[in-house]
Every structure is written in structure tokens, then in C-alpha cells.
Amino acid sequence: MAQLIKLQDYISRYEQDMFRYPSQFIRMKKDSFHRLREQWESEKEMPILSEPEQEEKQSLFQKIFNRKKEFNVWEEEEHRELPLPVDEHELKQLFLNQVFSFQLKWASSTLQEVSYFDQVYETDNLLKYFLQRFPDTYLLLYQPIFKMKQAVIEGDIIIVTPTDIMCVSVLDGASGTTYQPVDERKWQTIDEGQVHTVVNPLIGLKRMEKMISSILQYHELEFPIKKVVLARNQRILNQTPAYQTEYVDLLNYEEWFDAIRKTGYPIKYQQLKVSEALLEHTQKTFVKRPIWKEEEDHIL
């Protein structure tokens, strides 16, 4: 799973210590799934209980998801009954969904502060796609808001990998839509014979690239930046991408995605330095957690 280090303008754990949380997340995720799988395998072999017995004795598998101290990862999870997964694939998906919820919390709160969270992100399939299918060593900024010389700049999708920064623009046309680059300002979409004009996605990508370059220059950092136009289920015709730009469409998506999944690089120091620099220039909107506010008021 990629790590969500910034979501819009929410306060993030990673902003507190960029050099601590990435490795902590990977360790917690690995240990937690190992423990969960062991418990799942153990309970698969247990005899089927009658309904009264099931009501009387909650399985340890349920407790892992319903009690923070059992899992030592999930915070403030509500109590709910979960059916025992039928196979390891289902178990992994259940686990990934739990980690997704956990990541949203890390990306919108710290121990002392919390941001007002828009629940639309809980069902954001694009966000889930990047978090659940990309490697643990990929650090994601999703729709971040930057502050540059008093100007507010909205970003799109930025992924800091161990080797470079990817600025990604996702084309959201219907499956089978064809995109045709026209000029520097516009592209055309062709869907079931209907032709429409859309803004050239490279405009936003170039804006993000320029902004990131200025941040890196300010911090005296060097790191490659590349732009990706992603159309997983569509076609892009007449592909003549500019330098450090890649068009990924229906024809080459699997090859591109497999290369990412096979990435074996660990998290690198320069990657963390770059991520820290980017986070320093993002906007943060938050309030103190009530419990901390009460303690502060009592002390004062």
C-alpha cells in the first residue's frame, strides 16, 4: 500500500516527523497482517458453534478489529461484527480496507490536532486505487493545497517514489473513450461518436512540475520530476509526449503498472527529504482535539 502523507489541507502525522512515520507504517502493517492471518487460520479450524454459543463467545478475529489494544494499530474503530473470510484473498482485501480507514485518520489528525474530514474520501475509488495497489515505499499527496508566496495552489496527485516524483493526471472518461491531443490548450474526447473538447491535462501537470521545482530549488534539493497522463481504460491517440512525460493508456497500462508493482527499492533518505520539503509548503487547516483543549484550559 502506498502511504497517504497529505490529503487536501488536512493536518497529517507525516508533517510531524517525516523520518519516523513511513517506516513505522510499514512495520505496523506487516506485523498486524501476520497476526491477523495467524488468528484467521486458527479460527478456520474451530468447530462451528451454535447461535447461542456464537453470541456468548465473540471470536478473537472479531476482537482484533474491534479493540485497539488487540491490534495496536486501528484507532477508535467502531464495534461491528465481521464474517470470517472464506479465503486469503478475501482476508487481504478486508485488511486493506481497514488499513485504508486507518490511513485516512493519519492523514487528517495528529495526537493533538484534528482536521474537519470530508467523508467523501471514504468512498473515493481513485484514492483507494493509489493506496491499495501501489508499493509501501510510494508516498502520496492527494489533492494537496500549497501556499507559495501568499498564493494558494491546488495540486492534483503527487507521488514521491524512492527514485523520482510523479505528477499524475487521471483521465476520467468512460471506459473505451478515445483522447486526441489537439494543441497546447485542448484535447478532444470521442465517445460513441460524440466529440467533446477538454482542457489539455499537461497544463495542470506543468503547473505542478513548476511549483515542485521551485520548492526543491528553495531547499537546495535535486530529484527527478516526471509527468504521467493516466488513462487506465481509455485510448490516447497520436502519442508524442514531451520530455519527462509519459502517456499511459489501455494499451500500455499493464506493462506500466507491473513495473511499478515490481519496484524493489526501499524508502530512501533523499525521498524523505523531498517529501518533508513539499509538506512544509502545504496549507494546514485544523483545530485542537477537545481533550487537549480541555487540558490546556485547565492548566491556564
Side-chain angles (χ1 to χ4, degrees), residues 246-264:
E246 187 174 8
Y247 292 162
V248 179
D249 70 355
L250 183 62
L251 296 185
N252 65 340
Y253 170 73
E254 290 298 333
E255 180 182 356
W256 175 81
F257 184 67
D258 286 345
I260 286 178
R261 295 280 289 179
K262 293 176 181 177
T263 298

Side-chain angles (χ1 to χ4, degrees), residues 4 23 58 78 111 117 123 139 145 167 180 202 204 228 240:
L4 182 60
S23 58
Q58 183 189 41
E78 63 181 9
L111 295 179
F117 178 76
T123 55
L139 309 178
I145 299 177
C167 299
Q180 173 74 59
L202 293 179
V228 177
T240 54

Side-chain angles (χ1 to χ4, degrees), residues 61-77:
F61 179 83
Q62 296 288 341
K63 292 179 181 179
I64 286 177
F65 280 96
N66 292 332
R67 290 172 57 191
K68 174 184 173 183
K69 67 179 182 180
E70 287 285 341
F71 213 15
N72 197 30
V73 175
W74 321 124
E75 299 179 271
E76 304 167 3
E77 279 295 320

Side-chain angles (χ1 to χ4, degrees), residues 29-262:
K29 173 175 169 282
K30 180 179 179 180
D31 292 347
S32 298
F33 182 71
H34 176 72
R35 182 176 181 182
L36 180 65
R37 182 168 56 185
E38 283 189 339
Q39 188 58 50
W40 171 71
E41 291 174 345
S42 173
E43 294 200 13
K44 280 199 307 180
E45 307 300 324
M46 292 176 61
I48 299 176
L49 301 177
S50 64
E51 288 189 9
E53 290 174 320
Q54 289 177 353
E55 293 177 0
E56 179 179 350
K57 182 179 180 181
Q58 183 189 41
S59 72
L60 289 179
F61 179 83
Q62 296 288 341
K63 292 179 181 179
I64 286 177
F65 280 96
N66 292 332
R67 290 172 57 191
K68 174 184 173 183
K69 67 179 182 180
E70 287 285 341
F71 213 15
N72 197 30
V73 175
W74 321 124
E75 299 179 271
E76 304 167 3
E77 279 295 320
E78 63 181 9
H79 179 90
R80 60 185 183 278
E81 293 297 320
L82 297 172
L84 195 68
V86 297
D87 54 33
E88 187 162 337
H89 175 76
E90 187 175 313
L91 177 71
K92 287 181 178 178
Q93 189 57 53
L94 176 64
F95 180 75
L96 289 177
N97 290 338
Q98 291 291 328
V99 179
F100 177 73
S101 297
F102 169 69
Q103 286 185 295
L104 292 180
K105 292 175 182 176
W106 263 24
S108 61
S109 65
T110 67
L111 295 179
Q112 300 184 30
E113 300 93 13
V114 62
S115 297
Y116 290 110
F117 178 76
D118 189 341
Q119 294 185 339
V120 69
Y121 289 112
E122 295 177 348
T123 55
D124 189 323
N125 289 327
L126 185 60
L127 177 59
K128 273 192 175 184
Y129 162 75
F130 282 109
L131 290 183
Q132 294 190 345
R133 305 202 67 190
F134 280 57
D136 292 346
T137 56
Y138 279 43
L139 309 178
L140 173 67
L141 294 85
Y142 193 79
Q143 300 176 353
I145 299 177
F146 292 88
K147 293 190 69 174
M148 303 288 293
K149 296 181 179 179
Q150 305 306 314
V152 176
I153 302 174
E154 295 184 4
D156 192 358
I157 297 170
I158 301 171
I159 304 174
V160 186
T161 82
T163 58
D164 55 34
I165 299 172
M166 287 197 302
C167 299
V168 184
S169 178
V170 180
L171 302 183
D172 57 1
S175 180
T177 297
T178 297
Y179 287 86
Q180 173 74 59
V182 177
D183 54 37
E184 293 184 355
R185 301 297 304 175
K186 59 182 180 292
W187 284 17
Q188 285 184 340
T189 67
I190 305 171
D191 182 18
E192 297 183 349
Q194 299 294 317
V195 180
H196 301 280
T197 299
V198 296
V199 176
N200 186 339
L202 293 179
I203 294 176
L205 290 176
K206 289 178 180 178
R207 184 175 62 248
M208 281 198 294
E209 178 187 36
K210 183 178 180 180
M211 177 189 63
I212 293 172
S213 294
S214 65
I215 291 175
L216 297 184
Q217 184 177 8
Y218 177 80
H219 290 273
E220 299 181 344
L221 296 170
E222 292 185 3
F223 212 58
I225 304 172
K226 66 180 181 182
K227 302 178 289 294
V228 177
V229 179
L230 179 60
R232 290 177 288 170
N233 302 304
Q234 300 85 19
R235 286 291 317 279
I236 303 176
L237 301 182
N238 298 337
Q239 299 189 28
T240 54
Y243 176 69
Q244 289 288 66
T245 303
E246 187 174 8
Y247 292 162
V248 179
D249 70 355
L250 183 62
L251 296 185
N252 65 340
Y253 170 73
E254 290 298 333
E255 180 182 356
W256 175 81
F257 184 67
D258 286 345
I260 286 178
R261 295 280 289 179
K262 293 176 181 177

